[in-house]
Amino acid sequence: MILFDPSGPGILLLRTHPEEPKAPSRRILCTALFMAALLTRARTRSTPSAHGPTKGCRRSCVHTAACCSALRRKGMLTHAAPCVYLTDVLLSKGGASSTLSMMLGQRVRQFGEKLVRRRPLEPRNESEIPTPHLNSFDLVVFGVNRTLRAGVYILAGAVAVYVTGPAIIISFLVAGLFALLSGFYFAEFGARVPCCGSVYLYSYVTMGQLHAFITGWNIILHFVLATAYLTRAWSYTFDSLIGNHISQVLEGTFSEHMPSFLAPYPDFVALALVLLMAGLLILGVHVTARVTKVSTGINALVLSFIIISGFIKGDLHNWQLTEQDYKLAASGSSDSYSLGPLGSGGFVPFGFEGILRGAAVPFYSFFGLNAIVTTGKETPNPQRSIPWSIGIFISICFLAYSGVSAALTLMVPYYQIHPYNPLPQAFHHVGWAPAGYFVAVVILCALFYSLLVVMLTMSRLICAMAEDGLLFRGLGKIYARRGTPIVAILVSAILSGIMAVLFEIHHLVELLSVGVLLAYFLVAFSVLVLRYQPDQSFSKKEKVEEETEMEPIVEGNPSPSVPEAGTSNPLKSLCNPISTTPTLKSGQIVYGCAFLLVLLLTILSLLLALWPSRVFSGDPGFTAGAVLLLLLIMWITVIIWRQPQNPSPLHFRVLSLPVFPLISIFVNIYLIIQMTTGTWAQFGIWNAVGFAIYFGYGIRHSLEEKSDQNPPASNFHTFDEHTSSAKSC
């Protein structure tokens, strides 16, 4: 029930009838405000104002302004001015078209607000806050265990034979350096959220819903492809132990019917392994701490054995191969079709472009640094433990990957490396067959363990997104007897099985790397813009308190409006902000500049990737375009640098903003562009499906959408005419 007083304020009382089960709908409230505005407008006879309520009606619309402010916080009114200004707009010239444009603008703004809604954190009791019990060594061991698994045994083969040759060592160095930078961004990103969690959770709490969905959806892609890649590698390794009989039968049966962009034959062994692992997870099988420690120890011993063996049995001539060596190998081999490309020979047979492409592929192998960031808050001194742990972790991973790659390319000429079963074949090549069988068995065990961990993590992420409403809620169904997300496990297993059956390992690895590079890009972008935003409240209690507070409305003779200092010259205010702390305006400036920088860096990356010779040879058009892009990038970077940063204390902060994040963003974009057209097509299809799910289902069924549709409301709201501030109960 809504009561009006034509001679007084617009609304005296807003009350829900006791028999009504729901709060007043948006249509009723907006109609009430409109009628109140008409009555106030008729009484005051004020003239339309371009800046809100006029002087004559300022006192009479105090209560209506309070109503508007309350409804605006509930998402029911988006205009910044009280309802008298709303009436001025509706009664001005072109009333119908103005009303329609205003309604359209309101709809667009509401839609945009849905995309950036942040998830509030549940308040935790002191007993729920974990006590610090880890140290830097624990973090390093945890990250290494998440990283040095199957990839170190398989990845070097496919990259060395097709992309880099012996220069794969340099590729791992480049990837490691930029992974180190990304690790620091992960550390600050996680430091902004006062709880442990995943990158998906951090994105949802700090950046909003759409950013979180893109991050989570591409991390799911990472896990799906990692599962397919690991099962395909397990199948290759197992087949090599039994004399390649399975691959020969399947290839002879299906190779003629498979398209060129798919694998030569469908790998049904990989599909069976995925389904087996899904069954084990549904039954509640999990990895214990003891199994983790034993696996880490075995990995370290086997890797040491491989590296030492490579330097003992290796030949430096394999880093100086020529065309004559290639012809000799082709004439002396009964299966010359299996030889990889020669390139130009030597240590860098595929040039600088090959090194960069090779650096883009193994980026995913450093994704274990996320584990360090998410658990680093459980250390007594995160400011020191997290950066030191990330640095030591990256160094160990680089030494392991580069050591195995060096041993492999020293033992076997790079064009003779088996792309999918490199290490056992390398030991057979140098005459150490028993060592080859031993390494193959170890690889099978490592792959099995990695599969279990990856599929378990993937099902938990899918379940978390389904519980948030961004994915279909049925995916979050829990098997009551075992406590496992049965639907999420089955769906992820089916997706991974299809990818494992149809695609080769090198196609899976390239697509896998694109997803990881995008995740690194999003984190660097988030760190860049969040540093320049005002303080954010993350707990649900703080958000409710903010929504219940109303702005103070000062009565009395209003002073003439004075333009804000620094706003008379917008270009001057970009480089000389008045405030020393972030404001809403400065935060919006950084957001706009950051998006513009991403666009300019993408164009620059395309120029350098597609036409590098024209850019560096002095071609007038391409060189002038690259220089112009660099000047624009520098100017926008200066604008961001001049904006005030948030001084809130964090247990870790990245140095040299905004330069380092921009370098990382540029490298990630450039490496993504290095991928093949087929990889881009697959990546585009995956994200198109994701956006269809989000805009067709997730945006309407998220928890935040439901909370907006059913806001907490009391039975009635009263407004005192003589108070300068009001609070909604």
Side-chain angles (χ1 to χ4, degrees):
M1 180 173 61
I2 303 172
L3 305 179
F4 302 92
D5 182 6
S7 62
I11 298 180
L12 288 179
L13 182 64
L14 172 62
R15 182 176 181 180
T16 304
H17 196 276
E19 298 179 358
E20 293 181 357
K22 298 182 179 179
S25 66
R26 181 180 300 179
R27 180 176 298 178
I28 294 175
L29 292 173
C30 291
T31 304
L33 284 175
F34 179 62
M35 294 177 64
L38 288 176
L39 293 172
T40 306
R41 169 79 173 146
R43 177 169 48 82
T44 58
R45 294 183 181 181
S46 60
T47 57
S49 170
H51 302 286
T54 59
K55 179 177 179 181
C57 69
R58 184 178 297 273
R59 178 179 176 84
S60 63
C61 70
V62 166
H63 306 283
T64 308
C67 287
C68 290
S69 181
L71 293 177
R72 188 166 60 248
R73 285 194 173 86
K74 299 299 183 183
M76 297 181 178
L77 186 66
T78 60
H79 205 281
C83 60
V84 171
Y85 173 59
L86 175 66
T87 314
D88 288 339
V89 175
L90 294 177
L91 297 181
S92 60
K93 293 188 295 182
S97 60
S98 300
T99 304
L100 183 61
S101 62
M102 187 186 67
M103 292 174 61
L104 180 61
Q106 179 178 352
R107 290 291 186 182
V108 172
R109 180 171 179 176
Q110 288 176 350
F111 180 75
E113 290 173 349
K114 289 182 179 181
L115 301 181
V116 296
R117 287 178 299 193
R118 295 184 289 116
R119 170 183 169 179
L121 294 175
E122 296 289 344
R124 297 187 299 174
N125 299 325
E126 293 184 359
S127 59
E128 298 177 347
I129 300 176
T131 57
H133 63 282
L134 300 177
N135 53 37
S136 299
F137 178 76
D138 296 326
L139 297 182
V140 172
V141 171
F142 192 54
V144 169
N145 180 63
R146 293 287 300 270
T147 302
L148 293 183
R149 294 178 187 161
V152 70
Y153 300 109
I154 306 296
L155 181 63
V159 177
V161 70
Y162 291 124
V163 183
T164 63
I168 185 175
I169 302 170
I170 303 177
S171 296
F172 275 119
L173 177 61
V174 174
L177 289 175
F178 287 104
L180 181 64
L181 283 179
S182 300
F184 293 149
Y185 305 140
F186 271 99
E188 178 172 335
F189 195 42
R192 295 188 173 276
V193 182
C195 70
C196 296
S198 63
V199 180
Y200 160 73
L201 175 64
Y202 296 158
S203 300
Y204 210 161
V205 171
T206 58
M207 295 296 292
Q209 191 176 101
L210 179 60
H211 189 281
F213 180 84
I214 295 174
T215 302
W217 184 249
N218 282 280
I219 293 177
I220 291 175
L221 173 65
H222 165 78
F223 288 132
V224 168
L225 295 172
T227 302
Y229 154 65
L230 293 174
T231 52
R232 191 97 188 186
W234 194 96
S235 175
Y236 279 125
T237 306
F238 178 76
D239 189 37
S240 68
L241 284 176
I242 62 175
N244 299 318
H245 295 299
I246 298 176
S247 59
Q248 291 174 4
V249 172
L250 292 176
E251 189 170 1
T253 306
F254 294 99
S255 60
E256 296 180 357
H257 309 286
M258 299 295 292
S260 58
F261 59 88
L262 298 179
Y265 60 89
D267 196 338
F268 296 112
V269 176
L271 176 61
L273 181 60
V274 171
L275 297 179
L276 173 63
M277 299 302 298
L280 292 177
L281 291 176
I282 291 174
L283 294 176
V285 176
H286 62 280
V287 180
T288 63
R290 180 172 298 180
V291 172
T292 300
K293 293 178 181 178
V294 171
S295 173
T296 303
I298 294 176
N299 260 339
L301 291 176
V302 174
L303 289 175
S304 301
F305 170 74
I306 292 172
I307 294 172
I308 294 173
S309 300
F311 286 106
I312 292 174
K313 298 294 292 184
D315 185 0
L316 281 175
H317 180 70
N318 289 330
W319 285 1
Q320 303 169 0
L321 296 171
T322 61
E323 186 176 356
Q324 183 178 359
D325 296 316
Y326 186 80
K327 292 179 179 179
L328 184 62
S331 61
S333 176
S334 59
D335 54 345
S336 59
Y337 67 89
S338 63
L339 294 179
L342 172 67
S344 60
F347 185 77
V348 190
F350 302 103
F352 183 69
E353 181 181 355
I355 292 176
L356 291 180
R357 283 194 60 199
V361 171
F363 241 91
Y364 84 92
S365 58
F366 296 96
F367 201 62
L369 57 85
N370 181 37
I372 295 178
V373 174
T374 55
T375 56
K377 298 175 184 179
E378 300 180 23
T379 59
N381 188 7
Q383 297 93 328
R384 178 180 176 85
S385 299
I386 290 180
W388 275 102
S389 300
I390 290 175
I392 297 172
F393 159 76
I394 294 293
S395 301
I396 292 175
C397 290
F398 164 70
L399 291 176
Y401 277 99
S402 60
V404 171
S405 302
L408 179 63
T409 52
L410 284 173
M411 286 193 291
V412 186
Y414 64 89
Y415 46 75
Q416 288 184 298
I417 295 174
H418 194 290
Y420 310 129
N421 188 33
L423 292 173
Q425 294 296 328
F427 281 104
H428 282 283
H429 182 82
V430 297
W432 285 17
Y437 289 116
F438 169 72
V439 171
V441 172
V442 172
I443 291 175
L444 289 177
C445 296
L447 289 169
F448 195 86
Y449 170 80
S450 299
L451 268 173
L452 193 63
V453 175
V454 169
M455 292 187 67
L456 180 61
T457 308
M458 172 170 53
S459 62
R460 288 175 177 173
L461 176 59
I462 294 175
C463 186
M465 295 183 68
E467 290 176 350
D468 290 337
L470 300 185
L471 295 179
F472 303 109
R473 292 196 178 275
L475 295 173
K477 184 178 180 181
I478 303 297
Y479 183 32
R481 184 175 179 182
R482 299 289 182 179
T484 54
I486 180 172
V487 180
I489 292 174
L490 289 177
V491 170
S492 60
I494 292 172
L495 288 175
S496 302
I498 293 174
M499 300 295 287
V501 167
L502 297 179
F503 293 100
E504 285 278 22
I505 281 184
H506 65 275
H507 293 149
L508 296 172
V509 170
E510 282 195 354
L511 187 55
L512 180 66
S513 299
V514 172
V516 174
L517 287 169
L518 180 63
Y520 285 159
F521 160 76
L522 291 175
V523 170
F525 180 86
S526 302
V527 169
L528 175 63
V529 298
L530 287 175
R531 181 75 73 85
Y532 297 92
Q533 303 302 315
D535 287 328
Q536 295 178 329
S537 58
F538 298 126
S539 69
K540 184 176 292 187
K541 182 179 179 180
E542 291 174 347
K543 284 182 175 292
V544 172
E545 290 177 353
E546 284 183 1
E547 289 179 355
T548 57
E549 292 181 357
M550 308 284 277
E551 302 100 329
I553 303 174
V554 181
E555 296 185 18
N557 295 330
S559 58
S561 60
V562 179
E564 183 182 354
T567 59
S568 58
N569 189 347
L571 292 179
K572 184 178 180 181
S573 66
L574 290 178
C575 295
N576 294 289
I578 302 302
S579 176
T580 57
T581 58
T583 62
L584 182 62
K585 179 181 177 181
S586 67
Q588 291 173 346
I589 290 174
V590 172
Y591 259 111
C593 290
F595 279 113
L596 187 57
L597 276 176
V598 170
L599 176 62
L600 296 176
L601 290 173
T602 302
I603 298 173
L604 180 62
S605 299
L606 286 172
L607 283 177
L608 296 177
L610 300 180
W611 302 282
S613 58
R614 294 192 177 185
V615 172
F616 294 108
S617 64
D619 184 283
F622 286 91
T623 304
V627 171
L628 179 61
L629 287 172
L630 287 174
L631 292 176
L632 289 175
I633 290 170
M634 292 174 60
W635 179 59
I636 297 174
T637 303
V638 170
I639 293 177
I640 296 178
W641 173 66
R642 292 291 300 165
Q643 304 307 311
Q645 294 189 20
N646 194 320
S648 300
L650 299 173
H651 65 245
F652 182 80
R653 295 171 72 93
V654 178
L655 302 177
S656 302
L657 256 71
V659 178
F660 277 0
L662 290 181
I663 293 175
S664 182
I665 289 172
F666 170 70
V667 171
N668 288 324
I669 293 175
Y670 183 78
L671 293 179
I672 290 175
I673 292 175
Q674 294 294 319
M675 298 301 176
T676 61
T677 306
T679 301
W680 269 102
Q682 296 167 4
F683 185 69
I685 293 173
W686 172 264
N687 281 280
V689 173
F691 284 128
I693 293 174
Y694 174 71
F695 289 108
Y697 178 87
I699 196 172
R700 295 184 292 107
H701 293 82
S702 65
L703 294 180
E704 282 66 35
E705 175 71 12
K706 291 189 175 183
S707 64
D708 288 348
Q709 291 177 354
N710 300 288
S714 60
N715 283 342
F716 60 103
H717 300 252
T718 58
F719 302 95
D720 185 7
E721 183 179 4
H722 302 290
T723 57
S724 61
S725 64
K727 292 186 179 181
S728 60
C729 301

